[in-house]
Amino acid sequence: MFNALRPQVSSIIDSNKTPDARMQDICELLKAEIPHYDWVGFYFKNGDKRELKLGAYAGAPTDHTIIPYGKGICGQVAESNQNFVVPDVQAQDNYIACSITVKAEIVVPLFVNGENIGQIDIDSNTPDPFTKADETFLEFVNAEVAKIL
Ligand code: SME
């Protein structure tokens, strides 16, 4: 599944749409094609502020369009520069709930020239669905997106 999606991600990156439109297409592709991806979005550092701002996403609208560094899974990844896989969101103290249906989450930082400038965030309604294959694939997606930022 992930290997088949890689060329589709690259072809979106190679299109002549705006970067935001290409990220939107990627969110929609991943949500549509990966059964355990129920919400897919990109957050980016908001200017000089120590906070994240929601960019393109696919799935239900969220109230959490701004997330301070350190808060929630997303805010922790903004500081740690590391992938964060959460098999069970209810077991996390520092977690921001977006929907009661969400069971698990994965956040992978996005680097441009070695700097952590944002992240891709996936919510799943399936318990404990993420493996190394998700991490490797999402690292690939972020490396592709980094080319157009
Ligand atoms: N659950 C995230 C907040 C963002 S929503 O999942 C879209 C967190 O704890 O950072």
Side-chain angles (χ1 to χ4, degrees), residues 27-123:
C27 290
E28 283 166 16
L29 175 74
L30 271 49
K31 181 175 183 296
E33 297 300 325
I34 305 172
H36 58 291
Y37 286 16
D38 294 294
W39 190 93
V40 178
F42 289 95
Y43 283 92
F44 290 101
K45 187 174 199 307
N46 190 14
D48 289 339
K49 299 184 191 152
R50 287 183 56 79
E51 64 182 31
L52 295 162
K53 185 175 180 198
L54 182 61
Y57 69 92
T62 173
D63 290 339
H64 304 289
T65 55
I66 298 283
I67 299 178
Y69 276 31
K71 302 281 184 207
I73 308 305
C74 296
Q76 291 177 78
V77 168
E79 293 185 327
S80 73
N81 307 325
Q82 308 220 334
N83 298 349
F84 198 155
V85 180
V86 181
D88 173 8
V89 294
Q90 291 198 10
Q92 291 290 321
D93 292 333
N94 191 356
Y95 169 71
I96 302 167
C98 282
S99 156
I100 53 162
T101 61
V102 175
K103 299 282 196 297
E105 178 163 5
I106 181 170
V107 178
V108 172
L110 194 160
F111 299 96
V112 173
N113 299 324
E115 187 186 350
N116 177 0
I117 58 116
Q119 51 193 233
I120 191 166
D121 176 19
I122 317 291
D123 283 344

